[in-house]
Amino acid sequence: MASAIKNFPDNARSGMRYLSYLPSFFPDRAYVFLQLYFPDGGDYETEYRPARRTMLEFSCGAAKLKSPHLKKVIGIAIDAPKYSRMNSEDFILMDCENWTQQDQDYYEEANRELRFFQTSTMTERRMHVSEFPLARRGSNIPKIGRNQLCPCGSGKKYKRCHGDAAN
């Protein structure tokens, strides 16, 4: 998501949206991340936020249309941080487990004008993100000998405590 925020265009003059589709570790789930910039979006709470929630719902439905195997789509919508001093978020969990033909028809119709995942400017990037850096043993970190006392304070030898592979 940080990459999507960074990649939001710098040249927004009027309304603009930026939609990201992020697959999950779980193969039947995906995330949709929607950023909006609408300087003339009307009253924030009564006009803009309801419109953003609707767009988020339709973008999640479009993600299901794009990837029929999905059972859950998690949607997150924010104001584009590059253009907003304050921000609010909207979230949706779209349960698609019992997706019907009626649901499909509804979201196809809703997406006809919005064209989520159908525009010519859509690009695909594959990235591997590791949430935690790989641990590397530095030269200044002493190695614990098998027969030394375990550093956890148990009083046991390391080989019988945290050094036991079966533990």
Side-chain angles (χ1 to χ4, degrees):
M1 290 189 340
S3 175
I5 290 170
K6 182 181 166 194
N7 290 330
F8 192 94
D10 292 318
N11 58 354
R13 291 187 184 91
S14 61
M16 184 175 282
R17 70 182 192 208
Y18 194 83
L19 184 65
S20 301
Y21 175 92
L22 308 144
S24 171
F25 168 81
F26 302 100
D28 62 346
R29 297 179 196 155
Y31 296 89
V32 169
F33 182 52
L34 175 65
Q35 298 176 77
L36 290 178
Y37 170 64
F38 282 104
D40 300 324
D43 180 72
Y44 193 80
E45 289 300 323
T46 61
E47 296 175 273
Y48 172 76
R49 290 281 305 276
R52 185 175 72 186
R53 284 186 205 110
T54 300
M55 287 183 74
L56 179 60
E57 177 192 348
F58 291 161
S59 65
C60 289
K64 168 64 176 170
L65 294 172
K66 173 183 172 21
S67 302
H69 68 281
L70 295 177
K71 293 186 178 163
K72 292 192 186 323
V73 180
I74 299 98
I76 305 165
I78 64 171
D79 303 320
K82 285 187 177 181
Y83 298 99
S84 179
R85 291 182 194 189
M86 295 175 51
N87 210 325
S88 63
E89 302 86 21
D90 289 305
F91 301 92
I92 185 174
L93 171 60
M94 182 175 277
D95 186 354
C96 306
E97 191 120 20
N98 299 314
W99 189 263
T100 66
Q101 184 62 47
Q102 185 179 1
D103 294 327
Q104 182 163 333
D105 295 343
Y106 174 76
Y107 287 106
E108 282 176 352
E109 178 61 33
N111 197 37
R112 207 172 309 272
E113 186 176 325
L114 294 169
R115 298 176 37 83
F116 286 121
F117 303 113
Q118 298 173 357
T119 62
S120 60
T121 58
M122 190 169 114
T123 59
E124 181 176 334
R125 277 180 253 152
R126 299 223 179 247
M127 301 168 52
H128 174 75
V129 178
S130 177
E131 187 172 332
F132 302 102
L134 298 173
R136 293 192 180 119
R137 180 175 288 279
S139 60
N140 60 348
I141 300 173
K143 185 173 179 183
I144 302 167
R146 289 177 37 80
N147 290 314
Q148 289 179 320
L149 290 178
C150 188
C152 76
S154 68
K156 296 180 183 178
K157 290 184 178 182
Y158 181 69
K159 69 181 177 184
R160 300 270 186 232
C161 192
H162 283 90
D164 183 9
N167 216 3

